[in-house]
Amino acid sequence: MRRRLALVSTLLVVSVSAQTAPPAVVLSAEGKVHADVRAFPGGPVGEAPGVLLRRARIEVTAEVDGRYRLVLEPDFGEGEVELKDGYVEADVGRALAARVGQFKTPAGYESLRSSSDLRFAERALPTALSPRRDLGAMLAWETPRVEVQVGVFNGVADGGSAYGEDGSTTLDGAARVFGYPVGSGASGARLGLGLAVVAGTERGADEAPAFDDYETPGERAVFTYAPGVRADGARLRVLPQATLDVGRLHVLGEWALARHRLDAPGGPTVLAHRAWQASASVVLLGVPRGDDRPIPRRSVTEGGAGAVEVSARVHGLTLDRDAGPLAPTASARQATAVGVAVHWSPVAQARLGLTAERTVFEPFGVAGAPEPETFVVLRAQLDL
């Protein structure tokens, strides 16, 4: 399977180099740095308290003849070096593009949003059930009113990403449709509705069970499978999603279902996990831009106050009741979180944000629930 993906990638590159005239090449670069001060007051501590360089990325794009693109985005954040995105893309025509390489699977709505435009320090719990970055090939059709993506991917665990070979032996198929049936601009209401489906099979092994822990936004494990449990058959993710923009108000709602067939010491079983979120943001100062973060109408350098946005959300994750015997006693069956955030952009490229979130847990059966988590993040970001 991987050889076939590599062949398609090679053909795209050859089609670029086979131009009869010297093609025009345009190079561009964008960068981002997100630095956090993180705290877990009055409770258990999640991952990376204190000061954290959350992201340090540079995205380099080479565009050839206005139709072909090579995109590379390495990340130097959190003390590691990873290639987040690396793909080639060709405009086929009639708003259709073909892409091959490593990039985001077309699945969860918030998972697909740029980290530079997030309303909270971390994504909500539906992202824990959505595949993230993966190696694959995709066709994308996009107009101002509708976007459609269809592709095949190596396949990753819920909430996971694959960088390079991950040992997967099968492919996942992914399809997503998102459109705006109501509204046409920022001046009035604009409703967006969409659905993503990712389906395939996966066979794990004891040393590589083909799934990850489910975590809170503070990267504290909600649920962990016990040793000896592994993926063994069909998996399906279904992710309906909706947005609403009315003037300065932006609303996001999404739901996620992840259904897996597992092999466990007690025999094969099928589990279905669910997650959801509802969030709302209001631009107090600045120019609203829907999904994208607001920008100042007048920046601080021009004598203005910049852009200010406040946000609130509630989100949750519920594990299948039959998953209880497959997890250590410390695992929770359900997590529910409530968060608030405020962001200020003195200029369009800079942003300072404060996020506070409280997550409570419910156990399986009569076992004691894990202690609640309070997660506070102060983030300074620069996006160029």
Side-chain angles (χ1 to χ4, degrees):
M1 294 297 184
R2 287 172 175 73
R3 291 179 180 176
R4 276 179 275 187
L5 295 181
L7 176 59
V8 176
S9 177
T10 301
L11 291 176
L12 281 175
V13 174
V14 169
S15 68
V16 173
S17 62
Q19 303 293 319
T20 57
V25 179
V26 177
L27 295 175
S28 61
E30 298 179 356
K32 66 177 68 173
V33 175
H34 298 176
D36 293 354
V37 178
R38 298 182 163 214
F40 297 83
V45 175
E47 292 294 323
V51 179
L52 174 69
L53 183 60
R54 181 65 175 85
R55 298 178 183 91
R57 301 179 186 175
I58 181 169
E59 181 183 289
V60 180
T61 302
E63 187 170 79
V64 181
D65 207 27
R67 294 186 58 192
Y68 308 95
R69 282 168 295 280
L70 168 66
V71 177
L72 297 173
E73 185 181 12
D75 185 7
F76 305 92
E78 299 192 31
E80 299 179 354
V81 179
E82 291 179 329
L83 181 66
K84 291 296 184 180
D85 288 328
Y87 59 86
V88 292
E89 186 175 69
D91 291 334
V92 180
R94 298 184 180 274
L96 183 66
R99 179 183 295 184
V100 178
Q102 179 175 289
F103 50 92
K104 289 183 178 180
T105 305
Y109 190 91
E110 195 178 32
S111 174
L112 292 170
R113 297 306 99 195
S114 168
S115 57
S116 299
D117 297 316
L118 294 179
R119 265 63 185 200
F120 299 84
E122 300 295 339
R123 292 174 173 88
L125 287 166
T127 301
L129 299 184
S130 173
R132 300 298 310 282
R133 284 179 168 88
D134 199 358
L135 292 161
M138 182 178 75
L139 289 175
W141 181 69
E142 186 171 346
T143 71
R145 296 294 294 263
V146 180
E147 58 183 73
V148 180
Q149 300 100 16
V150 179
V152 291
F153 297 84
N154 284 350
V156 294
D158 293 346
S161 294
Y163 303 116
E165 296 286 340
D166 67 344
S168 178
T169 58
T170 61
L171 292 179
D172 280 358
R176 177 177 179 267
V177 178
F178 194 92
Y180 297 95
V182 177
S184 59
S187 58
R190 192 183 197 207
L191 174 67
L193 297 173
L195 176 68
V197 177
V198 183
T201 59
E202 186 59 272
R203 307 287 179 183
D206 290 341
E207 64 278 7
F211 42 66
D212 294 328
D213 298 343
Y214 297 109
E215 298 180 336
T216 67
E219 299 185 26
R220 179 181 168 200
V222 175
F223 179 90
T224 302
Y225 285 105
V229 182
R230 58 186 178 87
D232 187 36
R235 62 182 174 191
L236 172 70
R237 288 91 162 218
V238 180
L239 305 108
Q241 44 209 234
T243 62
L244 176 64
D245 290 285
V246 182
R248 295 179 173 273
L249 174 67
H250 175 75
V251 178
L252 167 62
E254 62 177 330
W255 186 81
L257 165 70
R259 187 175 183 271
H260 299 272
R261 188 179 190 278
L262 306 178
D263 184 29
T269 186
V270 176
L271 302 180
H273 308 316
R274 297 168 177 82
W276 56 274
Q277 77 151 317
S279 68
S281 302
V282 177
V283 178
L284 302 181
L285 293 173
V287 181
R289 298 195 300 158
D291 277 333
D292 300 334
R293 68 185 188 275
I295 59 174
R297 197 173 301 276
R298 291 183 63 202
S299 67
V300 170
T301 56
E302 298 171 327
V308 177
E309 183 179 41
V310 295
S311 306
R313 74 178 178 189
V314 57
H315 53 122
L317 170 67
T318 301
L319 284 303
D320 193 301
R321 189 177 301 277
D322 292 338
L326 309 181
T329 56
S331 290
R333 179 173 184 254
Q334 182 171 306
T336 305
V338 177
V340 294
V342 58
H343 286 88
W344 174 53
S345 297
V347 296
Q349 299 82 4
R351 196 172 182 224
L352 186 66
L354 178 66
T355 297
E357 198 144 37
R358 176 77 167 176
T359 305
V360 297
F361 306 95
E362 293 184 15
F364 287 94
V366 297
E371 294 183 45
E373 174 186 273
T374 302
F375 180 46
V376 180
V377 183
L378 176 64
R379 172 169 295 168
Q381 69 181 71
L382 185 64
D383 300 278
L384 301 175

